[in-house]
Amino acid sequence: MNTPIYIIEETKLRRNLSLIAEVAAKADIEVILAFKAFALWKTFPIFREYINSTTASSLSEARLAFEEFKAPAHTYSPAYTEEEFPEIVKCSSHITFNSLLQYERFHEQASSVSIGLRVNPEYSEVGTLLYNPCAPGTRFGITADKLPEQLPADVDGFHCHCHCESGADVFQRSLVHIEEKFAKWFPQLKWINFGGGHLMTRKDYDVELLVKLMQDFKKRYPWLKIILEPGSAFAWQTGPLVSHVVDIVEDKGIKTAILDVSFTCHMPDCLEMPYMPEVRGAEIVEMEKATEPMTYRLGGNSCLSGDFMGSWHFDHELNIGEEIIFEDMIHYTTVKTCTFNGISHPAIGMLHANGELEILRRFGYEDYRNRMD
């Protein structure tokens, strides 16, 4: 098709879900979907074949869990508001508070759900500060020195998140710090949530190590229910973003292929992190090679001057209308797109196992207009 489109491949999605379900069964833990990385609700019937719950960080996500996933959410937010909190409680089975002050303000309204506190182990191997939840000065979680010896009677669990697309070896090292800091409170708890960032569907991830870590933890603390809430792991390498070349411009010997998608609108991590995506049939090259033949900077179609990434070397000269395919563009993209500049969203489609491409959603003017209401 001629329009840009995110394509979710059902076979690859089910492969990930099967692995995650197998890990949960072997390790005797619960693995739930974090909406912050993937929230395409038309795929939820497939997810419900493998998992039972999701995690939310806002009222809208909590409603999505309750109304579309058909199960109350495990909800954590850095800050709840008085206006939204009663509705969040109605849509949640678990509510985690980011601070003791938030707990004091809202816990009485949450008596119908299981209450948790987010804790900060002050250890994380996430190298990019933008994504490091335990960086100095973090706004996330309570450090051990601020917790009372006796937790409030209605606190059932701890939530601890300190990973980002990490391996099981990183979790192994993190777990040492988590236990050193917080194990003395474990006898007072019913559950512990080790958060997201456990990229168990990545090819080089040591799944057996993760299972052993959880089995051994369970032997040490058999009364604790263990929860993991990865986001990327569910949608990891489940499909591309397909775009097209609409123009080719040149300045100072640098050729830019302008596409019908935008990095700032449709792939914001490419500019925020920055994250360098894989482009099918192309090789990323150093900037000093930007003027070489068959090498192109890839430019978005917004008016932001910095809406480009590059440079990529192809094995041929690009042509107007040619497809440019960005691999692995389902997680943390479809949930972060915006309507800046009125740029149209790519369509969203699912490639079923039988080869049929089902269009789940197209976007147009009304989607942009309604955002401005």
Side-chain angles (χ1 to χ4, degrees):
M1 59 190 302
N2 294 326
T3 57
I5 183 171
Y6 296 101
I7 299 177
I8 309 159
E9 299 181 45
E10 181 182 358
T11 300
K12 294 179 179 179
L13 179 62
R14 287 186 179 277
R15 175 200 62 200
N16 286 354
L17 286 163
S18 295
L19 185 147
I20 289 168
E22 182 179 350
V23 168
K26 284 184 176 180
D28 190 23
I29 63 176
E30 184 173 21
V31 184
I32 63 180
L33 168 67
F35 283 160
K36 69 176 183 177
F38 183 90
L40 298 181
W41 57 271
K42 288 187 177 180
T43 66
F44 288 174
I46 295 175
F47 275 78
R48 288 198 299 270
E49 295 178 30
Y50 300 88
I51 64 171
N52 299 317
S53 298
T54 60
T55 180
S57 296
S58 64
L59 173 56
S60 292
E61 286 188 343
R63 284 190 59 182
L64 193 70
F66 192 74
E67 296 174 12
E68 301 297 341
F69 201 87
K70 310 300 183 184
H74 293 236
T75 304
Y76 158 80
S77 174
Y80 300 105
T81 64
E82 293 179 1
E83 292 77 16
E84 293 184 345
F85 192 72
E87 184 84 14
I88 287 175
V89 172
K90 291 178 183 177
C91 297
S92 304
S93 60
H94 296 64
I95 293 230
T96 295
F97 294 104
N98 187 58
S99 70
L100 292 173
L101 180 58
Q102 282 266 298
Y103 165 81
E104 289 295 338
R105 288 182 62 194
F106 294 110
H107 77 102
E108 292 182 356
Q109 297 182 53
S111 59
S112 61
V113 303
S114 185
I115 292 175
L117 299 175
R118 177 158 177 170
V119 294
N120 174 13
E122 302 176 80
Y123 177 86
S124 174
E125 297 185 20
V126 177
T128 304
L129 287 182
L130 183 66
Y131 296 123
N132 187 339
C134 301
T138 181
R139 58 196 169 93
F140 295 134
I142 307 162
T143 52
D145 60 302
K146 293 183 174 67
L147 286 173
E149 290 294 320
Q150 183 64 43
L151 296 173
D154 58 355
V155 170
D156 291 334
F158 279 171
H159 177 132
C160 183
H161 175 67
C162 53
H163 301 99
C164 178
E165 297 185 354
S166 304
D169 57 325
V170 177
F171 186 32
Q172 184 177 36
R173 293 188 291 272
S174 301
L175 199 56
V176 173
H177 292 265
I178 294 169
E179 290 190 67
E180 285 179 352
K181 294 280 188 178
F182 300 109
K184 70 177 182 179
W185 285 284
F186 288 175
Q188 302 178 45
L189 303 177
K190 297 177 182 177
W191 54 264
I192 185 163
N193 184 329
F194 288 117
H198 308 274
L199 195 49
M200 62 187 78
T201 52
R202 189 176 61 198
K203 286 184 179 179
D204 63 347
Y205 190 95
D206 191 342
V207 172
E208 293 307 314
L209 175 58
L210 173 64
V211 170
K212 186 176 188 307
L213 288 172
M214 295 295 84
Q215 289 173 337
D216 291 346
F217 186 90
K218 197 80 172 179
K219 290 176 183 177
R220 295 194 295 275
Y221 314 103
W223 62 91
L224 283 181
K225 179 180 180 180
I226 302 169
I227 304 164
L228 302 183
E229 51 175 42
S232 295
F234 283 93
W236 184 258
Q237 295 185 340
T238 55
L241 170 59
V242 180
S243 67
H244 307 84
V245 178
V246 296
D247 197 10
I248 297 174
V249 299
E250 184 173 345
D251 183 64
K252 310 298 184 190
I254 297 175
K255 295 189 294 294
T256 300
I258 299 179
L259 311 177
D260 57 0
V261 296
S262 162
F263 291 97
T264 189
C265 295
H266 308 136
M267 297 171 274
D269 276 352
C270 294
L271 303 184
E272 288 178 4
M273 190 170 178
Y275 160 76
M276 192 65 70
E278 180 182 345
V279 177
R280 188 177 299 180
E283 178 185 2
I284 189 73
V285 297
E286 300 296 331
M287 287 302 297
E288 56 264 24
K289 296 183 179 181
T291 58
E292 292 185 354
M294 299 181 293
T295 300
Y296 300 83
R297 175 183 287 175
L298 299 181
N301 59 344
S302 80
C303 291
L304 176 70
S305 297
D307 189 3
F308 66 86
M309 292 290 286
S311 296
W312 275 269
H313 179 74
F314 292 79
D315 61 3
H316 63 281
E317 299 288 345
L318 296 182
N319 298 302
I320 304 301
E322 183 171 346
E323 286 187 349
I324 300 295
I325 300 176
F326 295 92
E327 304 286 10
D328 194 21
M329 278 289 155
I330 303 302
H331 59 93
Y332 280 107
T333 47
T334 52
V335 292
K336 296 181 79 170
T337 57
C338 72
T339 58
F340 168 68
N341 228 178
I343 301 297
S344 295
H345 286 308
I348 300 173
M350 173 168 282
L351 183 63
H352 293 290
N354 62 5
E356 176 191 352
L357 179 62
E358 177 188 1
I359 303 301
L360 301 180
R361 178 72 191 274
R362 293 182 187 272
F363 299 88
Y365 167 71
E366 290 300 325
D367 297 290
Y368 169 69
R369 180 182 178 275
N370 291 342
R371 289 282 292 271
M372 300 299 109
D373 283 349

